[in-house]
Amino acid sequence: MRALPSGEEREEYLGFRADKEMFAVSLALVREILKPPPITEVPRARRDILGIVSVRGQITTVIDLRRRLNLRANDPTVSSRVLLVQGNDEVLGLLVDEVTQVYRLSPLEIEPATSVLGANVGSHVAGIGRPRMRGLRGEVQNASDEVLILLDLAALLS
Amino acid sequence: MNAGDAKDEFFGEAQELIDALARDLLALETSARGGGEDPELINDIFRSVHTLKGLSGLFGLSRLGTLTHELENRLDDMRMGRVSVTSSVLDVLFRAVELLGRMLASARRGEADDDSELPSLLASLKSGAGAGAEKVDDELAPFDLDPDIVRVLTEHEEHRLRTNVRNGTPLYRLRARFPIDRIDKALDELKQLAKPLGEIIAYLPTGDLPADGTLFELDILYASASPLEQLRNRLEGQDVTIHRIARKNAGSHTSLPAAPEVPQSPALPPPPRAPTDRDSIPLALDKPFGDPPTNERTALRESKHAGGIKTPVPPKPEDEASRAVAAGRMAHTVRVDIRRLDHLMNVLGELAIVRGSLARLTERLRQHATFRDLTSELHRLHRAFDRNLAEMQSGILEVRMVPLGQVFERLARAVRQIARQNEKEIRLVVTGAETEVDKLIVEELSDPLLHIVRNSIDHGIEPQGNRAALGKPIEGTIALNAFQAGNHVIIEIEDDGAGVDHDRVLATALKRGLLTEEQAREISPRDAINYLFLPGFSTRDAVTDLSGRGVGLDVVKTNIARLGGVVDVQSERGIGTKFTITLPITLAILRALLLGVAGRTYALPLSSVAEATVLDLRAVRTVEGREVMSLRGETLPLCRLERLFSHERPAKGSHRSYVVVVALGGRRVGIVVDELFGQQDIVIKALGPSLSSVRGFAGATDLGEQRVGLVLDAAALLDEVLSAGERRGLEAFSVGR
């Protein structure tokens, strides 16, 4: 990418969908994107824990983002993916409905969650992303309609 | 290797050194009690401390360095005979080693260590200096020793020489020749032969090598009270000439301690080769000789014949040869991080899955007549693969195994210390220290064992006065027994103390609402005592006779359970208490029974399975809403796994079910499942931290083809099903009493 407008240090976010909402997490925290492998359910586990999978011999716990966020539960579909993310003290799988794209957001494109959603927003929301359309040279054109909920993984997974 | 690895390695090595130190100190104490001090042992201790000092310096642990430095000084004094091995000296050394252990532990955790004890300990170490035996300058005089020889002895070697002379042990010179290419082995062999009969004081190269350079000649200064004949028989077959170092006219040296006059054998064996005139003989033989005294300290004041044969003085007279041997031996062992073995084990697990796929493929090929030749070849290959894989697996498992002795030694130290604190005399009897267990298990065993032993000393074994009144020996006994039983290792910790007061245990359990009055009336003493393992029995006011310091037996039980083991306790009032710990031999790989429940597959470690049969519905009864069945006249509580795990099943068909009888530590439960898939070797892997609160599973394992199966935790299931205090999931199981 060239002609980066000065003063804008942009960070990469991975965007994905769960139910009807769009989310994004810092790309640096995503290790891998998998098609959902067979998941073994773990009886008596927390409701949002879907089960365990083996990723190259490593037993990894998979969390259903829908259940975690109290969205409508749904079985995995063809577009479902498991994101391997760095949790607080282990690598965890996060089941999402669809991975959309990588966003490069500058601080200007991120609004504090409270200013948009009010004071009662959950601690797992790090902010609201409003990506702007850019021209070929990276110049800002106009704000898009997209709204990304930027997730704070540490808070989400604790 | 990065810095972290190096540091890990340092901590591992330092811990091993400290363990070795403690072990040697204990041995030294025992030998000192027996009247003699073993110079080898003191040397070993000195060397360990020296190495530890070096390591501490390397890793910038200055306080550890200070302590090891002072410790080294004192041990050097002991080596040189400047300080004798008394119990007060030993106490200081024990304290120092304990402190070293604690300092190392805090350094490992990256904490600042508690230094309150250091100054006083350093002071005690320093005050021990110099209070030693005084030297008798003259004692070597009556021996026909070449002063040059005495001069090249290290201070320690000289001390050992003097000690032997003082004890009146006859001295010998062993002239040994070794082929240069196998000197390490040959010397080692000779050492092994010579040591049981006496003490090797010094190795002195004669510097008189045959021209062709294939032989190496060494004089060994040796002290032995054994008859010459025995020495000769012992060393038969070695290229060694034995010479008694004669005592010169003893008459003028009446001040010497009276040495038993061993009659000198006139019949020395002829040297293997005829000595020529040019032979330089460093130690006087039958003919006395010596150089004029040159060294005040070691001077031999009498020499009848001047102008003896000069001995070439080797530039570095310390026993290089034996050091070379030690170096050679060290090269044969490797220190390996256990995680690397875990990794190998994982790879092996994957290979086992490949093996399974290979077998299936072969089976499919078999269906096609056209591939018959290929199929049988593939089959042969598969068999060979199978065999080698099994061998590799047992090989890796073997590498992981270490003797329980490691942890027992640590316990012996603790027993000594706790007994002293309690002013009790405790005899620790250990059997089966050679029993081998997976390294990881040994590591985790320390704390639980220590807790049990501490309990025994604190509260089991009565104070000396009480014991005397009861007619028991004043010295309490704690027996540690370990042995292997099939795929398990059993460790018993038995004391001859006061035993557990069952009534009191029950009273407390009642008070805490852990059982009802009715249950209390019916419960057997054996079951009652198990309440000790429930959380809440750890506080002092609960059961004063058997309580700890904030950590309860429930922790012991949890720790043992984490290792896949169970702990059981038996006790008799006035007689004693016995804890029995049953552990799997290894955690790395185990044979499991694969079972199917409501479409799910679970693995159950075979070591906990007693038998499996078809569920005969006619044998099932319901008692108080819980299912039991009678199996060969015994009542077996049943547990339906799908109910325990709340599995929804797709409309239960009329197919038959199976009962898997799980038995551990004398308790049994029948687990009802839909299907038995057979046995499989599994590599068990831990569940992530986010699942740590889920009970009933020991881990998970790869089943092949990307599938993962949960491994049932047999001990936890038994507990859950049988535990009387457990309210959760009651409808799923039954208590068969």
Side-chain angles (χ1 to χ4, degrees):
Chain A
M1 188 81 43
R2 56 209 159 97
L4 193 74
S6 61
E8 284 191 40
E9 286 186 17
R10 291 191 274 165
E11 202 191 331
E12 290 183 318
Y13 284 83
L14 182 71
F16 49 86
R17 181 177 62 81
D19 200 5
K20 293 188 182 84
E21 301 192 35
M22 297 301 298
F23 298 89
V25 295
S26 167
L27 190 65
L29 295 173
V30 180
R31 297 200 166 185
E32 214 171 320
I33 303 170
L34 305 171
K35 288 192 174 175
I39 297 176
T40 301
E41 76 175 291
V42 179
R44 308 157 153 198
R46 245 178 21 221
R47 215 186 70 87
D48 59 306
I49 292 181
L50 213 52
I52 50 177
V53 297
S54 169
V55 182
R56 283 180 296 281
Q58 200 72 42
I59 302 293
T60 309
T61 307
V62 178
I63 290 172
D64 184 347
L65 188 63
R66 283 192 182 221
R67 293 196 205 170
R68 184 76 187 178
L69 297 176
N70 291 316
L71 302 171
R72 198 164 44 87
N74 192 23
D75 284 334
T77 65
V78 266
S79 60
S80 295
R81 293 294 180 269
V82 170
L83 312 182
L84 287 189
V85 297
Q86 183 59 53
N88 294 323
D89 40 11
E90 61 183 317
V91 173
L92 289 167
L94 204 57
L95 182 80
V96 302
D97 290 334
E98 188 185 359
V99 171
T100 51
Q101 68 171 98
V102 173
Y103 296 92
R104 296 163 56 82
L105 301 181
S106 74
L108 297 174
E109 293 165 293
I110 297 173
E111 299 169 23
T114 42
S115 70
V116 183
L117 303 172
N120 288 334
V121 65
S123 66
H124 62 273
V125 180
I128 302 298
R130 297 294 305 271
R132 280 175 277 193
M133 306 292 275
R134 290 175 198 279
L136 278 178
R137 313 179 71 127
E139 74 277 17
V140 176
Q141 293 183 328
N142 59 317
S144 75
D145 295 337
E146 276 183 296
V147 175
L148 299 170
I149 301 171
L150 305 184
L151 291 174
D152 177 347
L153 279 182
L156 179 76
L157 300 174
S158 68
Chain B
M1 185 188 283
N2 61 41
D5 284 349
K7 201 133 193 170
D8 276 355
E9 189 140 321
F10 157 67
F11 284 124
E13 186 171 355
Q15 185 59 52
E16 273 174 38
L17 283 168
I18 291 175
D19 288 348
L21 266 176
R23 179 178 56 225
D24 291 343
L25 274 182
L26 280 171
L28 186 64
E29 187 185 37
T30 315
S31 78
R33 241 190 236 145
E37 50 191 75
D38 185 344
E40 278 292 322
L41 220 44
I42 300 180
N43 266 334
D44 284 348
I45 296 172
F46 178 79
R47 276 194 291 266
S48 302
V49 170
H50 184 75
T51 314
L52 195 59
K53 184 175 97 171
L55 283 173
S56 316
L58 210 57
F59 285 88
L61 300 171
S62 58
R63 296 155 44 68
L64 211 59
T66 313
L67 181 51
T68 43
H69 178 71
E70 210 47 56
L71 197 53
E72 188 183 13
N73 284 347
R74 232 31 357 95
L75 285 162
D76 200 36
D77 287 345
M78 287 169 74
R79 242 157 58 96
M80 301 312 174
R82 293 191 290 260
V83 167
S84 39
V85 184
T86 60
S87 74
S88 62
V89 169
L90 278 169
D91 273 345
V92 177
L93 295 184
F94 272 114
R95 272 175 55 207
V97 172
E98 287 301 332
L99 185 58
L100 281 177
R102 284 203 301 277
M103 286 163 81
L104 184 71
S106 29
R108 192 173 210 157
R109 291 191 300 264
E111 298 166 2
D113 38 49
D114 167 29
D115 50 3
S116 52
E117 212 184 323
L118 188 61
S120 77
L121 192 56
L122 285 175
S124 318
L125 275 172
K126 283 198 177 114
S127 72
E134 58 188 61
K135 250 173 239 167
V136 188
D137 242 18
D138 256 356
E139 62 202 356
L140 294 181
F143 284 88
D144 270 326
L145 282 165
D146 186 329
D148 273 349
I149 287 304
V150 178
R151 201 168 51 237
V152 301
L153 293 181
T154 64
E155 191 186 355
H156 175 249
E157 286 164 348
E158 188 186 329
H159 160 62
R160 294 312 310 162
L161 176 64
R162 287 175 184 279
T163 306
N164 278 295
V165 167
R166 234 174 283 142
N167 294 342
T169 316
L171 299 175
Y172 294 89
R173 189 207 66 179
L174 311 179
R175 171 157 292 188
R177 317 185 99 207
F178 307 104
I180 240 158
D181 53 345
R182 54 182 297 271
I183 178 161
D184 286 5
K185 268 199 181 136
L187 181 59
D188 207 31
E189 204 174 297
L190 182 63
K191 272 162 90 178
Q192 298 311 322
L193 285 172
K195 274 202 180 148
L197 293 185
E199 178 186 344
I200 293 175
I201 297 169
Y203 301 90
L204 305 159
T206 62
D208 187 31
L209 305 182
D212 61 3
T214 56
L215 286 179
F216 185 78
E217 197 174 63
L218 206 59
D219 273 325
I220 298 170
L221 191 51
Y222 183 65
S224 168
S226 305
L228 187 60
E229 200 53 42
Q230 200 182 338
L231 285 181
R232 209 173 292 147
N233 289 341
R234 180 87 185 168
L235 298 181
E236 178 139 26
Q238 302 283 319
D239 189 356
V240 174
T241 333
I242 307 173
H243 295 293
R244 169 83 191 269
I245 297 172
R247 208 168 236 281
K248 290 182 294 195
N249 268 333
S252 58
H253 295 279
T254 44
S255 62
L256 279 176
E261 275 306 321
V262 181
Q264 188 187 330
S265 165
L268 284 172
R273 64 196 168 108
T276 66
D277 282 341
R278 295 191 305 103
D279 268 344
S280 55
I281 301 169
L283 297 176
L285 310 178
D286 303 315
K287 46 171 180 157
F289 58 88
D291 272 2
T294 47
N295 182 321
E296 190 72 275
R297 187 168 58 86
T298 58
L300 301 185
R301 298 212 165 79
E302 264 192 319
S303 62
K304 281 178 184 165
H305 307 270
I309 303 152
K310 285 244 181 184
T311 307
V313 178
K316 189 81 175 100
E318 270 183 289
D319 52 352
E320 280 167 310
S322 69
R323 218 183 276 154
V325 170
R329 203 181 301 129
M330 251 147 66
H332 294 301
T333 54
V334 183
R335 185 190 304 273
V336 181
D337 188 324
I338 193 143
R339 279 169 299 190
R340 293 197 189 178
L341 292 180
D342 281 342
H343 172 68
L344 284 183
M345 219 56 199
N346 276 337
V347 174
L348 212 60
E350 311 270 314
L351 276 179
I353 290 164
V354 172
R355 179 190 56 186
S357 310
L358 215 58
R360 278 192 295 279
L361 201 64
T362 314
E363 226 20 75
R364 267 167 56 196
L365 265 181
R366 211 187 281 281
Q367 320 291 326
H368 300 280
T370 38
F371 298 132
R372 188 158 299 151
D373 288 353
L374 276 177
T375 308
S376 60
E377 202 169 314
L378 195 60
H379 185 64
R380 265 201 308 283
L381 277 175
H382 173 248
R383 289 267 297 277
F385 183 53
D386 200 30
R387 245 192 338 268
N388 290 332
L389 207 60
E391 210 168 293
M392 199 160 139
Q393 182 178 308
S394 63
I396 295 180
L397 282 183
E398 229 166 77
V399 172
R400 298 172 59 101
M401 302 294 256
V402 291
L404 276 171
Q406 285 189 357
V407 62
F408 285 1
E409 278 155 18
R410 263 178 255 172
L411 276 185
R413 245 189 298 166
V415 165
R416 190 185 181 280
Q417 202 186 15
I418 303 166
R420 275 183 166 248
Q421 285 165 1
N422 282 270
E423 289 170 11
K424 289 176 183 174
E425 270 180 56
I426 310 282
R427 192 166 58 105
L428 183 70
V429 184
V430 175
T431 54
E434 72 286 353
T435 312
E436 292 196 320
V437 190
D438 192 291
K439 171 84 176 163
L440 280 184
I441 298 184
V442 166
E443 293 290 308
E444 298 293 319
L445 263 182
S446 275
D447 286 350
L449 285 181
L450 182 62
H451 190 83
I452 292 175
V453 166
R454 190 189 287 279
N455 253 325
S456 283
I457 302 174
D458 281 354
H459 312 293
I461 292 186
E462 309 91 336
Q464 295 191 7
N466 299 15
R467 289 183 70 88
L470 288 164
K472 285 181 169 184
I474 287 184
E475 191 182 48
T477 301
I478 295 180
L480 265 178
N481 305 320
F483 54 94
Q484 190 178 339
N487 275 332
H488 287 114
V489 162
I490 318 261
I491 302 172
E492 298 171 341
I493 306 102
E494 192 169 6
D495 69 52
D496 65 348
V500 179
D501 188 338
H502 299 112
D503 297 336
R504 211 138 150 205
V505 171
L506 277 185
T508 311
L510 267 175
K511 203 165 73 193
R512 311 214 158 188
L514 297 168
L515 79 174
T516 64
E517 299 240 359
E518 193 185 338
Q519 282 170 320
R521 268 196 300 279
E522 286 175 10
I523 201 162
S524 69
R526 189 193 152 99
D527 288 337
I529 206 173
N530 277 313
Y531 278 97
L532 285 176
F533 290 115
L534 288 182
F537 268 80
S538 56
T539 49
R540 202 171 177 85
D541 64 295
V543 186
T544 39
D545 282 340
L546 217 151
S547 62
R549 33 190 78 190
V551 198
L553 283 170
D554 58 315
V555 176
V556 170
K557 186 178 185 179
T558 316
N559 288 352
I560 298 289
R562 219 175 30 218
L563 300 173
V566 287
V567 53
D568 188 41
V569 57
Q570 282 167 286
S571 182
E572 212 166 317
R573 283 299 273 172
I575 308 281
T577 307
K578 175 166 147 185
F579 286 85
T580 308
I581 297 174
T582 309
L583 288 165
I585 285 180
T586 181
L587 296 175
I589 198 156
L590 44 93
R591 195 133 190 93
L593 183 64
L594 298 187
L595 11 118
V597 183
R600 283 85 166 173
T601 303
Y602 292 99
L604 180 62
L606 208 59
S607 56
S608 53
V609 175
E611 61 180 301
T613 62
V614 175
L615 177 67
D616 181 359
L617 286 172
R618 289 165 304 176
V620 178
R621 301 274 175 279
T622 306
V623 180
E624 291 180 29
R626 301 165 196 177
E627 282 185 305
V628 299
M629 75 177 264
S630 56
L631 186 67
R632 287 188 294 277
E634 271 190 74
T635 308
L636 183 72
L638 290 182
C639 157
R640 289 189 183 267
L641 214 53
E642 88 257 20
R643 267 188 251 169
L644 195 66
F645 290 163
S646 323
H647 283 322
E648 296 156 20
R649 62 163 65 250
K652 171 150 181 157
S654 59
H655 67 83
R656 61 186 173 180
S657 304
Y658 299 86
V659 186
V660 179
V661 181
V662 175
L664 267 184
R667 302 183 301 163
R668 306 194 318 157
V669 164
I671 292 184
V672 182
V673 300
D674 300 337
E675 274 174 284
L676 299 180
F677 298 121
Q679 302 176 14
Q680 190 171 319
D681 280 336
I682 60 167
V683 177
I684 189 162
K685 292 169 184 170
L687 298 178
S690 47
L691 290 170
S692 60
S693 60
V694 179
R695 293 180 42 189
F697 304 105
T701 188
D702 262 309
L703 294 174
E705 289 163 353
Q706 272 205 310
R707 286 187 317 135
V708 178
L710 283 162
V711 182
L712 300 176
D713 178 347
L717 286 181
L718 270 174
D719 269 359
E720 190 171 340
V721 175
L722 293 180
S723 158
E726 188 69 53
R727 295 284 172 269
R728 193 149 50 105
L730 261 182
E731 71 283 359
F733 60 82
S734 66
V735 176
R737 280 176 227 281

